[in-house]
Amino acid sequence: MQRSSTRSAARTGQEARRRPGIPGERAMLTAMGVDAVGSGMYVPFSLVFFHHITGLSFTVVGAVLTAVGLAGMAALPLAGTAVDRYGARRVQLLLYGVRGIGFALYPFATTLPAFAAVALFTAFGDRAFPAVQQAWIGEVASGTDRDRLQAASRALRNGGLGAGALLASLAISVAGGNGFTVAAWLNAASFAVAALLVRGARGVQGAAPVPAAAGRRPLRPLLPLRHGRAGQGSAAGYRLVLRDRAFLGLTGANFLTALGYSALPVMFPLFIVGRLGLPQALTGAAFTLNTVLCAVGGVAVAGVVRRRGGRRTRAAALGATLFATAFAGLALLGTVRPHSGWVLPAGLFALVVLYTTAETVHNPASGSLAVAAAPGELRGRYMATYQLSWSLASTLAPSLFTALNAADARLPWLLLTGTALSAAALLVRLENRLPVDAVRFTAPAAVMTSLPPGAAADPATAPAAAAPAGTGLCATVRTAPGASRRAVAAGSASRTF
């Protein structure tokens, strides 16, 4: 029986991998890549650009960007409500417009008030966009297709940022100070191109809600918001999110891990030069190594995790544990500091590889876990809440890490070791409180490609034959109202972490 179950799971995985791509997937991924290349042309030079345009000091520019970044987080709840009311694709198009207009106006923001106003306008779009894109992935994909898109988007993001930075360096070397303006306008143009691509992408729409497990109360009520009036559902939306303790725990675990993602841009430059006494050029080499490995190997690593693992929680916890190992190694490296000419750089780059591996394991699993744990009717609000963990971590990390580094350069790494291990433990503990179909890697479910406005899917009348061959209960769970989600999980991949 065990051998037969394993063969069945293997056949299911092979057939899932032979499935045709998601409608609009190519345009969606191309838009992500164009967006990343444009952002890469600008992000690495933002402080220098604003200093060049406005004549303001780096301190003032940094203070303004920090202030508007915090204020921009106010856009997250609004964006989440808009996604639930109008759909993620429409809101994503709007945010592309906001970001494009903002970057097009930056070269004209030559005074402090103008700079602050344009930066605040753009920050609203930048802060809200990741949550909306997560919700968009949740709308167009299901099952392991979500994990695959998460991994692909992360790889495209890293590769695009690296390519964009190289193009911007070339533009600045050729055009001098005008190259910064060119970079800003090209970034604005990239948002326009990405919006056109997304506008032409016609992905599938969500499936019917998944029934609760037998003998277990539903985790949360689902409200018909997408095609109905906002009314009471809109007012109650965030109250429902705040009552979902399992999802809030998931958000908290992501905050603990997200602090580690900020270590590369914030801590590595200080640590490599200050504590280890290595050349500044190795900082750029560490960034390049991370970017290349994420871009080249991110999709492959995530694919191995999906095929060999049965639970997103365990995959995300494994990634957090790898982060903790890398951080502990960096603290040890900062303590020992071997004086041999090649040992110190070799140890550093080995830990960068481990850090990058942790990133490629953790990010797709944790992102898909959050998307799958959110009910479709409130996915926008849930993703906005989840995105706060990333925004808060990236906002707090610079001041927290620099303060600890001033006391002892090893303290930030020790803190991150503790937060990553805590996140791993919390993720494992949440397994039994999150929806089973969110925890488990399951084959993509059958979804409807045409649903008229105001129409609700009727699980009782949905034909079981609509499911792809070989997907078994994992696909038909949405068409069997009385099915137990725990029974469905038993038919998923047999190997677990």
Side-chain angles (χ1 to χ4, degrees), residues 235-275:
Y238 279 109
R239 290 200 294 271
L240 291 174
V241 178
L242 294 177
R243 288 204 296 265
D244 192 339
R245 294 185 179 181
F247 191 85
L248 293 182
L250 184 63
T251 302
N254 192 68
F255 169 76
L256 294 174
T257 313
L259 287 170
Y261 280 81
S262 300
L264 188 64
V266 176
M267 272 305 300
F268 270 75
L270 298 175
F271 185 73
I272 291 173
V273 178
R275 180 70 181 183

Side-chain angles (χ1 to χ4, degrees), residues 193-381:
V193 174
L196 290 175
L197 289 166
V198 170
R199 183 178 175 83
R202 298 288 180 179
V204 294
Q205 298 302 313
V210 178
R216 174 176 142 190
R217 68 175 179 84
L219 289 175
R220 58 185 80 84
L222 301 179
L223 302 178
L225 300 178
R226 179 59 48 80
H227 300 295
R229 296 180 181 179
Q232 181 180 357
S234 178
Y238 279 109
R239 290 200 294 271
L240 291 174
V241 178
L242 294 177
R243 288 204 296 265
D244 192 339
R245 294 185 179 181
F247 191 85
L248 293 182
L250 184 63
T251 302
N254 192 68
F255 169 76
L256 294 174
T257 313
L259 287 170
Y261 280 81
S262 300
L264 188 64
V266 176
M267 272 305 300
F268 270 75
L270 298 175
F271 185 73
I272 291 173
V273 178
R275 180 70 181 183
L276 301 183
L278 294 173
Q280 182 70 47
L282 290 184
T283 300
F287 275 92
T288 302
L289 179 61
N290 171 263
T291 300
V292 170
L293 290 178
C294 281
V296 174
V299 175
V301 171
V304 171
V305 171
R306 288 196 307 274
R307 290 190 294 272
R308 297 187 63 84
R311 306 183 190 186
R312 292 187 179 98
T313 44
R314 302 276 177 102
L318 173 62
T321 304
L322 292 175
F323 270 129
T325 305
F327 298 144
L330 287 164
L332 179 62
L333 193 65
T335 301
V336 177
R337 287 185 290 182
H339 298 291
S340 176
W342 61 271
V343 174
L344 195 57
L348 173 67
F349 285 116
L351 291 171
V352 171
V353 171
L354 180 59
Y355 173 95
T356 306
T357 303
E359 185 177 343
T360 56
V361 171
H362 173 269
N363 189 269
S366 63
S368 297
L369 178 63
V371 172
E377 293 81 355
L378 295 175
R379 186 176 288 124
R381 291 172 173 85

Side-chain angles (χ1 to χ4, degrees), residues 159-220:
L161 288 174
L166 290 176
L167 291 174
S169 298
L170 178 62
I172 293 169
S173 64
V174 172
N178 292 329
F180 293 112
T181 301
V182 171
W185 283 344
L186 286 176
N187 192 20
S190 75
F191 293 135
V193 174
L196 290 175
L197 289 166
V198 170
R199 183 178 175 83
R202 298 288 180 179
V204 294
Q205 298 302 313
V210 178
R216 174 176 142 190
R217 68 175 179 84
L219 289 175
R220 58 185 80 84

